[in-house]
Amino acid sequence: MKKLSIIFALISLTVSQLQAQSFESFYKKSIEDYKSNPKKYFQKVCSPDFIFITGHSGEFRNFDQSIAMVSDDRITVNYQNEIKKVVVSGEVAVVSGISIHPQPNMIYKDAYTYTFRKMNGEWKWIMAHHTKIDYKSLGISDEEAVKKAIEASTDYIYAADYDSYKKT
């Protein structure tokens, strides 16, 4: 019985390692897909009930609001993503790391936690949470840079809300 338990534990460990490697490969390719076309990436990978919790305000944004933000091509120029940890448990995967988003007047450096779930055989991004590490302004005061970034973000959200409203 002891041998059977050890064999089962080894098989389970091997399966979970393979799942983690499979997801990690998906996620690394995913980063490149995001850089090349963020809007298309969101439409393909995010679940319709996707939620993003912002790093600068803790605000919750839904799928439409999030896709409006990524529709601006400036956010992917020189985008960097450093994976710190990947955990896969069955059909759920959690990734944590550091992302850096250079923009015209600001550089955002956030810690992130992304949650994915396997749905109909495909990994879907269901939740993102960013925590501010450092925001550096470029050529203007920090206060002015944050104000401009929040105003731009708000404009995207209003545009997404307006587009959703027009559809009803």
Side-chain angles (χ1 to χ4, degrees), residues 39-77:
K39 185 173 182 177
K40 185 177 177 182
Y41 171 80
F42 259 68
Q43 291 169 330
K44 179 182 175 192
V45 177
C46 291
S47 70
D49 56 350
F50 175 80
I51 297 292
F52 171 53
I53 305 169
T54 65
H56 64 277
S57 67
E59 184 179 331
F60 280 60
R61 296 192 178 155
N62 64 24
F63 176 84
D64 290 333
Q65 293 165 329
S66 297
I67 208 163
M69 280 176 37
V70 299
S71 294
D72 183 1
D73 292 331
R74 295 174 304 148
I75 70 166
T76 59
V77 175

Side-chain angles (χ1 to χ4, degrees), residues 10 21 31-32 47 121 145 160 165:
L10 288 173
Q21 288 172 348
I31 293 168
E32 296 309 311
S47 70
Y165 175 76

Side-chain angles (χ1 to χ4, degrees), residues 25-46 50 52 61 63 65-82 98-103 108 110 112 114 116 125 128 130 156:
S25 296
F26 156 80
Y27 184 68
K28 286 178 180 176
K29 183 186 179 315
S30 207
I31 293 168
E32 296 309 311
D33 291 347
Y34 172 79
K35 286 179 178 180
S36 68
N37 189 331
K39 185 173 182 177
K40 185 177 177 182
Y41 171 80
F42 259 68
Q43 291 169 330
K44 179 182 175 192
V45 177
C46 291
F50 175 80
F52 171 53
R61 296 192 178 155
F63 176 84
Q65 293 165 329
S66 297
I67 208 163
M69 280 176 37
V70 299
S71 294
D72 183 1
D73 292 331
R74 295 174 304 148
I75 70 166
T76 59
V77 175
N78 298 318
Y79 169 77
Q80 298 172 39
N81 184 312
E82 181 184 341
I98 306 294
S99 65
I100 300 173
H101 296 269
Q103 293 189 15
Y108 292 93
D110 289 337
Y112 67 82
Y114 297 158
F116 293 80
W125 195 5
H130 281 210
Y156 296 132

